[in-house]
Amino acid sequence: ITTSVLHSSFVYVLYCFSLLHSKPSLGNRSEDTINTMMLLFAVASIAEATTCYKANVTTIPYAVLRKATVESQRGCEVLCDSDSQCAAFTFKEAGFSSGCVLLSTFTANLFCSTPKAIFLKNSTGCTDRTNLTLEFGIDPCIDERNDTAFRGFDGPICLQDNNRFVIRAIDASGRRITLDNDKWNQLKPVDGIWVWSYMNGAGNSYSTKIVAATCAAASAIKCPCEQLIMFSSNAGHYRALQDVLNPCREHPGTMLNTDVWKIQGASMRMSSSETAGSTIACK
């Protein structure tokens, strides 16, 4: 089992007759950065197909509204969409420390000596996204980006090369997230944005809106997940191990139970042979 928990919109909860919880580590991100992320999540729903931003090089000066730290260019778009005074922004890519400057209306009859690249807000002439990788940018958490491993819009979306690839994406709020890559996944364009979904034969489902994605390989080294912690202390429940074959290997005879949050509480118990061949991995 590959547990995609790195900066992810969902987690698996697993236990060897015990319930576990894992969440991504925020590392040493500043409080301002975390507050910006919370704001992005709150206002993302209004920033889908209503506006678009076109690159423009200009010598016309714009007044600065404020600066923000974001994870992607999409984060700047969401912030600008949420501010009626914002007419444009500049963007500097630097991984999770990427930054944007929100700009208000231009100053008439003045000119800058050096042209500046900005992204100008437009409410007309916007087209749907058709290139899934165009806005992906630089992701500091992945070891390998492989756009050619994309195999189609029905699962598995990426090639299943020894379960090496996960789907690394930018969600509608501009956050970088990890999504799993199995036969129950689909990608569909909806209302000018992409929707990644999970739906199995039992009718369990989960979906999230994204603006960019690629097939990626990642270890737990660059952006490690927090260690799994015991969610239940009931007798006979034991901590499952991460990144080793057979997460219940320290307690022979136990089996791995899962409570899969992404499908709204569905759970299953693996057989002993399935448990012995499984790995809980941070990617």
Side-chain angles (χ1 to χ4, degrees), residues 152-167:
F153 298 112
D154 293 319
I157 293 167
C158 299
L159 296 175
Q160 287 188 316
D161 181 8
N162 295 320
N163 288 326
R164 187 162 59 97
F165 292 120
V166 293
I167 299 165

Side-chain angles (χ1 to χ4, degrees), residues 1-12 22-25 139 141-143 159-169 176-181 216-226 242-243 279-283:
I1 292 178
T2 298
T3 309
S4 306
V5 296
L6 177 61
H7 302 289
S8 176
S9 62
F10 64 87
V11 294
Y12 289 111
S22 178
K23 62 181 180 179
S25 171
D139 190 332
C141 288
I142 63 176
D143 299 321
L159 296 175
Q160 287 188 316
D161 181 8
N162 295 320
N163 288 326
R164 187 162 59 97
F165 292 120
V166 293
I167 299 165
R168 190 70 170 156
R176 294 190 178 274
I177 61 174
T178 301
L179 301 168
D180 62 5
N181 176 46
S219 66
I221 297 175
K222 291 183 177 179
C223 298
C225 304
E226 291 183 2
Q242 283 182 254
D243 296 312
T279 301
I280 304 171
C282 167
K283 293 192 176 186

Side-chain angles (χ1 to χ4, degrees), residues 171-205:
D171 72 7
S173 68
R175 297 175 307 134
R176 294 190 178 274
I177 61 174
T178 301
L179 301 168
D180 62 5
N181 176 46
D182 64 35
K183 66 180 181 179
W184 304 111
N185 297 142
Q186 283 188 330
L187 265 178
K188 292 182 179 180
V190 177
D191 297 330
I193 207 165
W194 299 89
V195 174
W196 174 96
S197 63
Y198 170 94
M199 180 174 290
N200 69 6
N204 297 305
S205 64

